[in-house]
Amino acid sequence: MNKKYEINFEIYDVDKMRNAIEDFSEYYKINIEWNFLIIEWDDIESLDEVFNELMNYVIWLIN
């Protein structure tokens, strides 16, 4: 299962996003396509939680 999340790369640094994806890639399959972040995972209910954790990590990397 996967879910797409629209990302505004004017707000979020694409390099920091790629760093976070690399750090999370051991556990989740995450890709960037255009302005979308696509997360694949077995449990559809957990996708939003994975997205939130990833974005919190991206914000931490930016700061």
Side-chain angles (χ1 to χ4, degrees):
M1 294 173 227
N2 66 37
K3 189 169 181 180
K4 286 185 177 182
Y5 298 89
E6 189 170 6
I7 304 294
N8 184 340
F9 287 111
E10 292 176 10
I11 297 172
Y12 297 101
D13 182 275
V14 71
D15 291 328
K16 300 294 186 196
M17 183 68 71
R18 286 190 176 121
N19 288 344
I21 289 170
E22 185 177 317
D23 291 343
F24 274 58
S25 69
E26 183 176 334
Y27 306 103
Y28 309 103
K29 184 174 181 185
I30 304 171
N31 295 307
I32 296 175
E33 292 181 12
W34 298 99
N35 287 346
F36 290 95
L37 187 69
I38 302 168
I39 302 174
E40 294 184 35
W41 186 245
D42 297 335
D43 181 12
I44 193 79
E45 289 83 26
S46 298
L47 288 173
D48 289 335
E49 185 176 333
V50 172
F51 173 75
N52 290 333
E53 290 298 322
L54 178 72
M55 294 309 293
N56 286 336
Y57 186 60
V58 170
I59 292 168
W60 180 80
L61 288 175
I62 291 170
N63 290 325

